Every structure is written in C-alpha cells, then in structure tokens.
Amino acid sequence: MRTFLLPLLLLYPLLLLAQASIPRLSQIDVQHYTFQLELSDAHDTIQGSALIDIRFLQALDTLVLDLVAEEAGQGGMQVLEVKEGGEPLSYRHEGAQLLIALSSPAEAGSTRQFAIRYKGIPADGLIIAQNKYGDRTFFGDNWPNRAHHYLPCVDHPSDKATVAFVIIAPDHYQVVGSGLQLEELNLDRETKLTFWRMDTPIPTKVAVFGAAQFAVSRAGEVAGIPVTSWVYPENRTEGYQDYGQATEVLQFFIDSIGPYSYPKLANVQSKTRYGGMENASNIFYFENSVTGGQDHEDLIAHEIAHQWFGNSVTEGNWFHIWLSEGFATYGANLFLEHKYGRDVMAKRLLTDRQQVLQFARRSDRPVIDTLVTDWNRLLNANAYQKGGWVLHMLRHQVGERAFWSGLRAYYKAYQNGNALTRDFQEVMEIASGQDLSGFFYQWLYQPGVPEIGVSWSWSKKKGLQLDIGQLRSDATYTFPLAIAAEAPDGTRQTWTINIDQEQQTVTLPCDFEPARLWLDPDTWLLFSAELNRSN
C-alpha cells in the first residue's frame, strides 16, 4: 500500500521554497499610485506621469520598479525624468526594469514619494484599438503582469496599493476606472479630464481604466453599492438587459460570503483579450458578451465572484492562481445552484470533470505548478475546473456548515490582503475540526486525478461484490466512493466506500440483482472509472 503522507512531509519545505517571492517584494511595499495618462486620437503614444508612495521594508539605496523600456519597432516606454521632492534622481532603464538611485539611502520603515514622467506606445497591457463598430477605444488589460507595459509599478499580485487614474482624453470619450469618479472637467473645447480613485488596496493586475464612447445605465443598487452598465451605444438596449443581471449576483455573494470591498460595480463591454477580466470594481467583458439574450449569466457570476476571491483576497503568488480562478469557477456554480437548483450545478460539474480529465491526459502537472514561468499557461483546466472541483469535494468532506463558515472566515481573515493555499487550508481545518493536509496534498500538489477500475458481481448468498483497483502507477488516493444500485422495479440502494488502497475487495448487502450500477450518483467526486460486470 502506498501513501501520500510521507511525500507530503518531505515535499512541503520544497514547495514553500518554490513559492518564494522575488527579493524586492520583501524590500518595498507600494502604498499608493497616481497615474496621469494623456490619450490622443492622432497617435498611439501616451504621455504619462506617476506619483508613487513607497514604504521601505528594508534599508535601500536603489529602488527597482517594473516598466518595459522602449525598443525600436516593439513599443515600450521612454522615461523622461525621475524626481523625489522636486529634485531629479539618476536612473537606469533597461529591459523591463527601472532602477532609480536614491539621493540618500532609505531607512527601513520610511515612506517616500517618487515622481516619474514618461511616454511611449504600449506594446501590451493597454489595448488601443477599434471596437467592433470601428470606434477607437482604450482598455487596460493588465492580467497577469502586463500593467508594467504602460505603468511604472511593482507588477506582482502580492503588492497591493490604492490607486488613482487621471485620464486626459478627447472629450468624446467617457472614462471608467477603478474606484469612484471624483472629478470630470473640460480642460478646453476638445479635451476632458476624468479622475477615478480606488481607496481600497488592489493588485496592479486588476487596476485599470477604459476610455470609449459608452452608453451608461444604472442597473440598481445592492447594499448601498451602485451597479452600472457601460456598453457601446450601438448595444445600448441589449447591454443594459444583459449586464443588469449583475445586481442579483452581487447580492448573492454579499449574503453568502461577506461585505463587498469596493465602492461600486461597473460592468463594461470592452476589448479585453479574455472572455472577462475581473478588474476590481469595473469588470471588463468581451465585446460579444452583449447579445440581449442574457446568455452569459455564468460569466457574470464568475467575474463577480472574483471581486471576493482574486481581487479582495488575492493569491500571494501566481502559482496559487486556483485561489482566484478555482474559487470564481465554483462561485459561479454556487450562484447557479442557488438560483436554479442542484441539478443545474451537477450538470456543470460533469462538464467540468470531463475538461479536467482531458487536460490531465495532455499535461501531467499539479494545480499548484511551481515550474511555470509563463503565467498565461496557468489559465488552464487545473486552475479553473479542477480548482472548482477541489472546493466541491472539500464541501463534501467537511460538510455544509463547516464549508460555508470556512469560506466566510477565510474571506474575513484575508480581505484586502493576500493568501496562499496553506492559509486557506488552515482556516478550513479550524472550521471543520479536521486535518486536511492529505486532502490538500493529493488534489492540489499531486498531478492528475484518481483512475479506478471496478469489477462487480452479485449473488443471493453473497450480495454485491466489488473488486476496486486504482490504476495509476504513480499515486494512491484516499477518497469516499459512492455506489448506487437499481433493481428492475426501480428500487435503489446506495453505499459509500472509503478507498485508500491500490486494490480492495468489498462485499455489500444487496437483496436484489442490480439492473444498473453506477458510481458517484450525487456528483461529489473528481475521478475517472471503468465499471464492468464480471462473469
């Protein structure tokens, strides 16, 4: 019999080392950004300035920020000057880093403000393009670490800060941004300034603005939070109808998880490269999400779930993306279960299970994959569907009461902060009173899913006999396996067996010869199986 407990003890130190952040994340902590960006219809060059308040966690004489340098034919930013207190500072800008020589060493615990003026054509991060109606638009699209293509920053999910956007643009644009709008000012007959500020700390991956010609509608208010829809004027009627579904979803997560962290929720038709991008307080959806048929309710639920998990409680490292995407995937399922019933959720889970199995056949990687360096490669069925399934199985493992109280406790403990998987595990262990180390290891740090073969026979004397084998050669899982049998007259009987060995033979009392036998009848297990009747 193989067990995962010994590998767990041996691997945990290595896994924690693999999660270590880059050195400067322990050296500095950005407190606030103010970005001023000037947009033009004549060209794609942006004129930018940034005021950045930084708290130094260690004594330093050089400050390192992320900003992609201009490269011939490739776009990028050209730094024009860096100042502190009005005095110019020396700097070096190369590759994707801006290194600033401090006029005097920073002391640990001190907070200093730096001003950076720059310009350039963003190679990425800020999408400057025509929308599907041929109108020019500007949309921030920062995930995972693309903000530093146009914003000087610490472009990592563990460094959260408050942020303000001051956007100067031709006056035919309306601008939506993170937080609340504090000002809109016509600078002259052709140019307008719009000022948005977010006073809740957020990571750069979800701190954005969008500028386009919009039709804007107030969809409603939930717990004092205004909910608005921002759509292309051509889609005004359909867009208001589609995005108006957000009010019901927002109410569900406030009631189920805890208070919403932001001052508004704007749902925005945009040019994001993704199906939806969960920017904090202003979600950007793909252009064709507007149909008038309200047929993207699951997408809206997914992105709103992110406001709790991914935005407010943010994974401390990209390797733990399941804490964002898995939670949002299952969050959408929980909303749909709440609204339409368990059968709808079960149908979605079966689809998700097939996607996980297909992915596992192509890629033998765990959910927490510390070997990945291209963060976009983490956007896969492991992070989304398997992450969601892990939460579903955890719900079954600990029970309804502990599951929901644990989710609420996790959110409360890490709201507007960062967490890693071990933090979530600790909260759930407290909520359930169970040791969940084996559960978390086998489903998140171990690749693949259980693969089992079940051969069964029945006799009046012995009842139902099952020979159950785990087919993977590299791992033995422990899990409850539910088995249901149906008699010719429709009578059903269900048993649950604890699977914890490579091979097990189980005899179950059964008074009838099954006309049908099936595994996991209530859809609680992520697995693949071969079920056969023996002669």
Side-chain angles (χ1 to χ4, degrees), residues 99-380:
L99 296 88
I100 302 169
L102 304 182
S103 57
S104 60
E107 297 180 358
S110 64
T111 299
R112 294 164 64 165
Q113 185 181 79
F114 301 88
I116 303 168
R117 193 165 60 85
Y118 62 101
K119 68 175 183 178
I121 298 175
D124 201 353
L126 181 63
I127 300 175
I128 305 174
Q130 290 185 340
N131 68 14
K132 65 179 184 177
Y133 296 107
D135 294 324
R136 185 172 173 82
T137 60
F138 302 79
F139 287 105
D141 204 45
N142 294 357
W143 199 94
N145 61 335
R146 291 155 58 223
H148 70 288
H149 281 279
Y150 69 108
L151 302 173
C153 61
V154 175
D155 208 359
H156 191 276
S158 69
D159 197 334
K160 305 176 83 166
T162 57
V163 62
F165 286 101
V166 180
I167 307 300
I168 299 173
D171 66 357
H172 58 85
Y173 290 107
Q174 290 162 285
V175 176
V176 64
S178 303
L180 284 178
Q181 182 176 319
L182 299 184
E183 184 179 16
E184 185 175 273
L185 173 68
N186 288 99
L187 300 177
D188 54 41
R189 292 185 177 181
E190 298 180 346
T191 311
K192 183 173 64 179
L193 177 150
T194 310
F195 178 21
W196 288 85
R197 180 181 172 108
M198 172 67 85
D199 289 328
T200 305
I202 56 176
T204 51
K205 66 171 185 168
V206 291
V208 300
F209 77 94
Q213 296 184 54
F214 286 116
V216 183
S217 172
R218 187 180 179 94
E221 185 175 291
V222 177
I225 306 299
V227 181
T228 54
S229 304
W230 297 61
V231 299
Y232 304 151
E234 295 87 347
N235 291 140
R236 175 173 170 269
T237 301
E238 308 97 309
Y240 293 167
Q241 183 173 337
D242 289 341
Y243 291 168
Q245 297 175 101
T247 55
E248 184 181 6
V249 180
L250 183 61
Q251 186 70 65
F252 169 77
F253 286 108
I254 289 174
D255 293 342
S256 301
I257 305 299
Y260 182 67
S261 291
Y262 310 117
K264 71 148 191 324
L265 176 61
N267 297 279
V268 185
Q269 188 178 16
S270 79
K271 290 287 292 182
T272 178
R273 67 162 63 170
Y274 306 106
M277 186 56 228
E278 65 269 15
N279 306 305
S281 81
N282 47 312
I283 299 168
F284 287 1
Y285 299 95
F286 74 108
E287 287 186 308
N288 290 329
S289 64
V290 173
T291 65
Q294 296 188 328
D295 47 5
H296 289 291
E297 186 177 33
D298 56 344
L299 173 63
I300 291 172
H302 180 103
E303 304 306 334
I304 293 178
H306 267 308
Q307 304 301 305
W308 279 258
F309 302 111
N311 294 0
S312 184
V313 180
T314 304
E315 63 276 16
N317 197 303
W318 285 293
F319 303 131
H320 296 256
I321 188 177
W322 87 279
L323 293 173
S324 175
E325 297 300 347
F327 275 60
T329 298
Y330 196 57
N333 284 343
L334 289 171
F335 168 74
L336 295 171
E337 177 189 39
H338 162 77
K339 184 172 181 179
Y340 299 110
R342 182 61 163 71
D343 289 348
V344 168
M345 171 185 255
K347 185 177 180 180
R348 290 174 61 86
L349 286 165
L350 290 173
T351 300
D352 289 350
R353 184 160 69 189
Q354 288 306 308
Q355 291 178 290
V356 175
L357 296 177
Q358 290 170 11
F359 180 79
R361 295 185 193 108
R362 301 192 308 269
S363 176
D364 195 29
R365 302 300 311 158
V367 171
I368 299 175
D369 188 352
T370 59
L371 300 182
V372 171
T373 54
D374 176 0
W375 311 128
N376 275 288
R377 289 183 59 198
L378 293 170
L379 299 179
N380 56 46

Side-chain angles (χ1 to χ4, degrees), residues 30 32-38 47-54 63 65-67 79-85 98 100 112-119 147 150-154 163-166:
V30 178
H32 179 74
Y33 299 103
T34 296
F35 298 116
Q36 179 172 300
L37 301 175
E38 297 184 28
Q47 301 285 337
S49 65
L51 283 176
I52 307 177
D53 297 327
I54 295 176
L63 171 63
L65 296 174
D66 299 315
L67 184 66
V79 175
L80 304 175
E81 65 178 11
V82 180
K83 291 183 176 182
E84 182 185 9
L98 174 62
I100 302 169
R112 294 164 64 165
Q113 185 181 79
F114 301 88
I116 303 168
R117 193 165 60 85
Y118 62 101
K119 68 175 183 178
Y150 69 108
L151 302 173
C153 61
V154 175
V163 62
F165 286 101
V166 180

Side-chain angles (χ1 to χ4, degrees), residues 453-457 465-469 503-506 530 534:
V454 180
S455 177
W456 68 276
S457 61
Q465 183 168 305
L466 302 109
D467 293 312
I468 306 169
Q503 297 288 333
Q504 292 175 243
T505 298
V506 179
E530 297 176 4
S534 58

